[in-house]
Amino acid sequence: AQSVSQHNHHVILSEAASLELGCNYSYGGTVNLFWYVQYPGQHLQLLLKYFSGDPLVKGIKGFEAEFIKSKFSFNLRKPSVQWSDTAEYFCAVIPGYSSASKIIFGSGTRLSIRP
Amino acid sequence: SQTIHQWPATLVQPVGSPLSLECTVEGTSNPNLYWYRQAAGRGLQLLFYSVGIGQISSEVPQNLSASRPQDRQFILSSKKLLLSDSGFYLCAWSRGQGAGGNTIYFGEGSWLTVV
């Protein structure tokens, strides 16, 4: 069965540090890829998505992610984090040409930023 | 622009009582609608999805049911709540067809505590 792995369950960084959150998936064909963010007490919001084209995707709030097909990865990055980036981050994958109902979410990475 | 609302935001119900969580989407027609449950450290679990009025697909057999009485209304119900039904429930939508049809947008979520 397809799966999405976010190996880091909790990441703690200081402000201005660089961020990279890992995401790996287990499907060998075409994929649609997503990163969602959930700030404390809020709902899930879409950060960025990749359907096709440039594998380096830029999202909101200075985040970007790079799709590396050979590594089955879609890591999330930000060059300099802020305290307001404290949140939980979810990677998600839709395998093949499936509908959105087939989306698979990772278990999430909790990011804590020290002021 | 499209918006999604679900209510109530928080709910405390006794074991054995009924449940009704409601969700509505505005600004689009014939959306795909979803109910998810989010458990701490376990990501999101799809409970139900609907591609049209009266069309419900259940992903996980359980004590819950869903209905779609109108195009942009999705209801999560239970006749008799169990303690294990406690959790955070998220309504979501995606476009029915066409570009962007695979992007899911989430509502604010509903915290259910069964006591």
Side-chain angles (χ1 to χ4, degrees), chain A residues 32 34 36 38 43 49 103, chain B residues 34 36 38 102-104 107:
Chain A
N32 293 167
F34 308 82
Y36 286 86
Q38 188 172 30
H43 62 287
K49 60 186 177 183
I103 193 169
Chain B
Y34 310 84
Y36 283 88
Q38 185 178 11
N102 275 352
T103 302
I104 292 183

Side-chain angles (χ1 to χ4, degrees), chain B residues 25-38:
Chain B
V25 179
E26 298 295 332
T28 188
S29 59
N30 197 30
N32 291 343
L33 297 172
Y34 310 84
W35 278 110
Y36 283 88
R37 179 175 172 174
Q38 185 178 11

Side-chain angles (χ1 to χ4, degrees), chain A residues 9 32 34 36 38 41-46 49 51 88 90 94 96-103 105-108, chain B residues 32 34 36 38-46 49 59 88 90 94 99-109:
Chain A
H9 298 294
N32 293 167
F34 308 82
Y36 286 86
Q38 188 172 30
Q42 296 188 28
H43 62 287
L44 278 149
Q45 302 172 44
L46 182 67
K49 60 186 177 183
F51 286 176
E88 190 150 17
F90 293 90
I94 297 177
Y97 297 99
S98 305
S99 71
S101 65
K102 301 303 180 185
I103 193 169
F105 285 89
S107 57
Chain B
N32 291 343
Y34 310 84
Y36 283 88
Q38 185 178 11
R42 294 176 60 185
L44 282 83
Q45 179 186 39
L46 178 63
Y49 73 94
E59 294 293 304
F88 189 52
L90 290 158
S94 67
N102 275 352
T103 302
I104 292 183
Y105 301 94
F106 289 89
E108 304 95 333

Side-chain angles (χ1 to χ4, degrees), chain B residues 48-106:
Chain B
F48 302 95
Y49 73 94
S50 171
V51 298
I53 296 174
Q55 300 178 63
I56 310 294
S57 295
S58 174
E59 294 293 304
V60 182
Q62 57 201 315
N63 187 40
L64 302 169
S65 62
S67 61
R68 185 170 177 173
Q70 300 181 43
D71 181 45
R72 292 170 293 174
Q73 184 185 24
F74 206 25
I75 298 172
L76 183 68
S77 303
S78 174
K79 291 183 178 178
K80 287 185 179 181
L81 284 168
L82 306 172
L83 285 174
S84 57
D85 291 324
S86 294
F88 189 52
Y89 292 85
L90 290 158
C91 183
W93 74 277
S94 67
R95 295 186 198 284
Q97 295 179 359
N102 275 352
T103 302
I104 292 183
Y105 301 94
F106 289 89

